[in-house]
């Protein structure tokens, strides 16, 4: 692969997201942990990924799945120890896998030492200046300072016993830092160094565009002036390490030009491509998003990224089986019908599509097994604040976070050992017996073997990963492009078979070709052209 051995590994990497609580349980308590992840490193190496991104592993009350961080320099005991994390990094490197960790700079847990000191201090104190404490409106100050709403639903302000209010763009247990305060900036620069010193290869930055704000002046908390100063300072830090470490932004911005500014040569290395993820299974829309993505990245010489799902998003097998195949947080509802057979077929085709596009690709744990969203969880098991703060109208994100099935005919499907003392923290559906790693391993045509084959070809094919592409002539419902003179991808999103361009060999196909050599609907094929 182009850049495979280059220092700028992030330009072409296949990166696997690990939601640690749900990946593998090493101590039998029903919660995934570092011991479980370490035991499964051979699986990840065999899958063919270049790096893993681990969601927050810090001490946390889990009001938001670990994104409410109580200590940014420690490991939650439920996952293991800092020494184990350092051992994981070492063992992953030995297996040829780089490690990316999550940093959450916008907010912390309400149990963080800084916030606890702020609560114990008087209004107007230096401790409160680290956050957004303000007086309320009205004669008694009993109304929030503004009408700003939380991203998770409900007011973005919570009142404390002495009458002041504090800002939280997310859950009330996640107070926002005041990034106008130099101590906050210094603290996070030190946190960045702390993890890079431990061998972390990259940092994924949560909610990267919302740090800078003045909630009393404006309810616009995205992409405000001064945000780029923060990441330029982080880039100066990351550039001091050899080899250089990657900074990866979670940047949800509809403005493509604003998005591209985060990827300037002195700022972030890459950012997630949510416009493509959110797009429906329609050829014209996907082609538009591909073209726009490449157009936006070209002037700043940044690599594009491609992703179908993550720990926040309805799994693509379910999403692609619905009448409306796009993703939107605002549109998440209960009891939306899905044709899982159709969704599975489209998800297989989409996997080959994203793995053949220029740049890096992100894979979410379990998508290589063809797992669907678990939508029938009991409401009393749902933890996501999106569910609770919506009054139960939004099912939340727990359904894509159910623990992985590794083996066996019933729960816990090898996620925990047979003598485990606890059940998986979320129940796995019985239908997953046919989707375990063991059930799919070595089975021709299985979802797992499709991913293994595609990642193997992607890793060996010089034209894949970062580099140019050109569209090929095709029917309107077909996406056909070449990566050089020898490789092409064809994805058929129409209802009729698609004729393939002249080729020497079919390297991978998401389903078998028709007897006449045409590509069936909702399918992709990789071709050796010459």
């Amino acid at each position: 692969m182009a850049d495979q051995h280059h220092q700028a590994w992030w330009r072409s990497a296949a990166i696997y997201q690990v939601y640690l609580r749900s990946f593998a349980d090493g101590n039998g308590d029903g919660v995934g942990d570092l011991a479980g992840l370490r035991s499964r490193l051979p699986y990840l190496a065999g899958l063919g990924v270049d790096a893993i991104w681990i969601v927050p592993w810090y001490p946390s009350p889990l009001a938001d799945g670990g994104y409410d961080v109580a200590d940014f320099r420690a490991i939650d005991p439920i996952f293991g120890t800092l020494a184990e994390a350092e051992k994981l990094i070492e063992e992953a490197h030995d297996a040829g896998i780089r490690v990316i960790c999550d940093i959450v700079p916008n907010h912390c847990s309400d149990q963080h030492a800084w916030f606890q000191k702020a609560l114990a201090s008087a209004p107007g104190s230096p401790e409160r200046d680290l956050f957004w404490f303000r007086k309320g409106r009205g004669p008694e100050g009993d109304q929030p300072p503004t009408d700003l709403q939380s991203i998770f639903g409900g007011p973005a302000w919570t009142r404390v016993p002495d009458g002041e209010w504090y800002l939280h763009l997310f859950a009330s247990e996640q107070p926002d830092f005041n990034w106008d305060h130099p101590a906050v900036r210094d603290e996070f620069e030190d946190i960045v160094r702390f993890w890079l010193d431990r061998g972390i290869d990259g940092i994924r930055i949560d909610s990267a565009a919302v740090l800078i704000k003045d909630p009393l002046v404006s309810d616009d908390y995205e992409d405000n002036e001064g945000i780029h100063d923060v990441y330029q300072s982080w880039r100066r830090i990351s550039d001091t390490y050899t080899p250089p470490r990657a900074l990866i932004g979670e940047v949800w911005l509809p403005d493509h030009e604003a998005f591209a500014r985060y990827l300037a040569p002195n700022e972030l290395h890459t950012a997630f491509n949510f416009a493509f993820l959110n797009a429906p299974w329609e050829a014209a829309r996907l082609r538009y998003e591909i073209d726009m993505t490449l157009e936006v990245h070209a002037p700043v010489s940044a690599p594009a990224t491609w992703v179908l799902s993550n720990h926040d998003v309805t799994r693509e097998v379910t999403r692609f089986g619905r009448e409306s195949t796009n993703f939107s947080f605002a549109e998440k509802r209960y009891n939306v019908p899905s044709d899982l057979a159709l969704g599975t077929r489209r998800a297989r085709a989409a996997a080959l599509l994203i793995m053949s596009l220029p740049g890096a690709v992100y894979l979410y744990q379990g998508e290589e097994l063809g797992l669907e969203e678990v939508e029938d969880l009991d409401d009393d098991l749902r933890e996501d604040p999106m569910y609770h703060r919506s009054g139960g109208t939004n099912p939340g994100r727990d359904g894509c976070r159910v623990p992985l099935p590794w083996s066996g005919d019933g729960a816990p499907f090898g996620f925990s050992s047979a003598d485990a003392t606890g059940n998986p923290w979320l129940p796995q559906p019985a239908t997953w017996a046919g989707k375990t790693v063991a059930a799919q391993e070595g089975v021709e045509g299985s979802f797992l073997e499709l991913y293994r084959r595609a990642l193997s070809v992607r890793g060996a094919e010089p034209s894949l990963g970062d580099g140019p592409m050109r569209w090929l002539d095709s029917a309107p419902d077909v996406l056909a492009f070449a990566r050089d003179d020898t490789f092409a991808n064809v994805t058929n999103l129409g209802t009729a078979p698609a004729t393939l361009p002249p080729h020497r060999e079919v390297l991978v196909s998401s389903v078998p070709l028709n007897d006449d050599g045409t590509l069936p609907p909702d399918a992709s094929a990789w071709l050796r052209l010459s």
Side-chain angles (χ1 to χ4, degrees):
M1 181 190 301
D3 284 334
Q4 177 75 14
H5 303 293
H6 192 275
Q7 285 189 338
W9 56 270
W10 53 83
R11 299 190 68 92
S12 294
I15 301 166
Y16 185 99
Q17 181 189 354
V18 174
Y19 192 78
L20 195 53
R21 295 176 75 194
S22 299
F23 186 71
D25 171 20
N27 64 5
D29 64 356
V31 178
D33 48 35
L34 289 170
L37 175 54
R38 290 172 62 193
S39 73
R40 298 294 185 177
L41 285 174
Y43 167 79
L44 293 170
L47 185 60
V49 299
D50 303 302
I52 54 174
W53 153 37
I54 305 171
V55 302
W57 49 12
Y58 313 107
S60 170
L62 296 177
D64 181 25
Y67 283 88
D68 49 319
V69 178
D71 184 347
F72 289 90
R73 297 180 182 84
I75 300 295
D76 195 306
I78 199 170
F79 298 139
T81 65
L82 182 58
E84 272 190 283
E86 292 171 336
K87 190 66 175 174
L88 166 71
I89 296 166
E90 178 186 340
E91 291 171 349
H93 288 168
D94 289 344
I97 299 171
R98 294 179 172 90
V99 181
I100 299 164
C101 75
D102 231 310
I103 287 183
V104 188
N106 180 70
H107 50 263
C108 63
S109 165
D110 59 1
Q111 300 304 306
H112 190 282
W114 278 16
F115 192 71
Q116 287 295 303
K117 289 179 181 178
L119 291 177
S121 301
S125 63
E127 289 81 4
R128 291 201 172 183
D129 285 345
L130 299 170
F131 301 92
W132 287 101
F133 280 88
R134 294 295 183 267
K135 293 180 180 180
R137 293 177 295 175
E140 306 298 324
D142 57 353
Q143 297 298 313
T146 72
D147 294 328
L148 181 65
Q149 295 293 293
S150 158
I151 292 170
F152 285 168
W157 297 93
T158 291
R159 201 177 193 191
V160 300
D162 61 34
E164 283 205 321
W165 299 72
Y166 68 87
L167 176 74
H168 51 88
L169 289 185
F170 296 89
S172 57
E173 298 89 348
Q174 295 169 288
D176 279 33
F177 286 112
N178 174 11
W179 272 85
D180 293 339
H181 200 299
V184 173
R185 297 181 182 235
D186 291 345
E187 171 73 352
F188 273 92
E189 288 183 8
D190 190 72
I191 291 167
V192 168
R193 291 188 186 95
F194 180 90
W195 288 107
L196 296 184
D197 286 346
R198 275 149 186 80
I200 287 290
D201 301 281
I203 290 171
R204 181 263 189 186
I205 305 162
D206 181 68
S207 301
V210 303
L211 274 56
I212 306 298
K213 65 192 73 93
D214 187 341
L216 296 184
V217 174
S218 171
D219 61 3
D220 183 5
Y221 48 77
E222 284 188 331
D223 193 41
N224 285 318
E225 186 175 351
I227 187 71
H228 298 284
D229 295 339
V230 174
Y231 300 127
Q232 288 166 16
S233 73
W234 290 22
R235 179 61 176 265
R236 288 191 292 271
I237 293 170
S238 72
D239 284 349
T240 65
Y241 288 80
T242 303
R245 314 299 168 85
L247 300 177
I248 303 155
E250 183 196 28
V251 182
W252 293 80
L253 289 177
D255 185 327
H256 289 90
E257 291 185 4
F259 173 87
R261 285 196 286 272
Y262 288 80
L263 302 175
N266 63 340
E267 210 161 318
L268 304 182
H269 296 89
T270 67
F272 290 112
N273 185 358
F274 291 113
F276 180 86
L277 182 154
N278 293 342
W281 184 250
E282 298 170 6
R285 179 64 182 277
L286 289 176
R287 179 164 179 158
Y288 169 82
E289 295 299 350
I290 292 167
D291 284 340
M292 184 58 68
T293 295
L294 298 177
E295 180 181 324
V296 164
H297 285 72
V300 289
S301 299
T305 64
W306 310 97
V307 59
L308 294 174
S309 61
N310 61 34
H311 66 290
D312 290 332
V313 173
T314 303
R315 285 192 178 274
E316 63 266 36
V317 164
T318 298
R319 194 167 78 242
F320 287 153
R322 289 178 169 161
E323 183 178 356
S324 177
T325 53
N326 67 304
F327 175 76
S328 168
F329 284 114
E331 296 175 9
K332 286 199 73 168
R333 292 292 183 270
Y334 284 99
N335 302 318
V336 180
S338 179
D339 181 340
L340 293 183
L342 176 61
T344 295
R345 185 182 182 93
R346 289 172 169 173
R348 291 170 62 94
L352 293 189
L353 172 63
I354 67 167
M355 287 191 219
S356 56
L357 288 167
V361 62
Y362 283 81
L363 314 172
Y364 178 49
Q365 65 179 45
E367 73 174 70
E368 79 276 16
L369 303 177
L371 301 184
E372 72 275 18
E373 188 86 355
V374 180
E375 300 191 285
D376 59 352
L377 294 169
D378 290 342
D379 288 346
D380 60 356
L381 295 176
R382 296 183 186 273
E383 296 187 1
D384 186 10
M386 280 191 165
Y387 164 76
H388 293 287
R389 291 178 67 86
S390 72
T393 60
N394 184 328
R397 300 163 294 175
D398 296 300
C400 64
R401 301 175 177 182
V402 173
L404 293 190
W406 291 93
S407 60
D409 297 324
F413 291 115
F415 171 71
S416 303
S417 59
D419 58 353
T421 58
N423 295 321
W425 70 279
L426 284 175
Q428 303 148 304
T431 54
W432 280 6
K435 296 186 176 183
T436 67
V437 172
Q440 299 192 48
E441 207 146 33
V443 177
E444 185 176 355
S446 71
F447 228 112
L448 176 59
E449 293 304 331
L450 173 68
Y451 267 68
R452 283 182 173 168
R453 171 63 179 161
L455 287 167
S456 175
V457 172
R458 188 179 187 275
E461 184 65 33
S463 62
L464 291 180
D466 196 23
M469 66 163 275
R470 57 184 173 86
W471 291 107
L472 302 174
D473 291 338
S474 64
D477 287 335
V478 175
L479 299 178
F481 55 86
R483 294 301 313 274
D484 60 11
D485 293 334
T486 65
F487 178 93
N489 171 83
V490 180
T491 299
N492 183 5
L493 293 92
T495 58
T499 301
L500 296 176
H503 57 277
R504 180 163 59 89
E505 178 185 3
V506 176
L507 297 171
V508 192
S509 61
S510 61
V511 298
L513 300 186
N514 295 320
D515 291 342
D516 61 359
T518 57
L519 183 66
D522 295 314
S524 291
W526 288 0
L527 309 176
R528 175 76 65 210
L529 297 178
S530 61

